Amino acid sequence: KNAPGPKKPQAPTVAPKTAPAPPTQEGNDWILYTIQKRDNPWNISKALKVDHQKIIALNEGTDFTKLDIGQQIKVPKAPK
């Protein structure tokens, strides 16, 4: 007689990872900006043509010496 052999282990079923939807949040006078390598309030403000003090004020409590790539901060909307 052929006895059934040991069962082969099956890989666990894992739900596929889905990327989170990009944030679309914005206020009347600000938008979200995603930090990139070497960003700081001064070069962000220069690139976006906004006041760096407004960036700092919109992000009360944020330590701008410890920004992480991918972190999001509020920046003022550029003047039209």
Side-chain angles (χ1 to χ4, degrees):
K1 288 183 181 178
N2 283 342
K7 290 185 177 181
K8 290 183 180 180
Q10 292 185 349
T13 304
V14 178
K17 291 183 180 180
T18 56
T24 55
Q25 185 177 6
E26 66 178 65
N28 290 333
D29 57 349
W30 59 269
I31 58 172
L32 285 177
Y33 175 83
T34 302
I35 298 298
Q36 300 171 27
K37 192 173 185 175
R38 296 186 186 91
D39 272 347
N40 63 51
W42 299 273
N43 62 20
I44 295 168
S45 66
K46 185 175 179 182
L48 300 179
K49 298 181 172 116
V50 297
D51 181 11
H52 76 277
Q53 291 295 336
K54 289 183 180 178
I55 293 174
I56 293 168
L58 280 171
N59 296 280
E60 188 176 335
T62 299
D63 184 349
F64 283 95
T65 65
K66 297 179 182 177
L67 294 174
D68 295 318
I69 294 172
Q71 179 179 347
Q72 293 188 317
I73 62 169
K74 295 176 184 177
V75 296
K77 289 183 178 177
K80 293 182 180 183

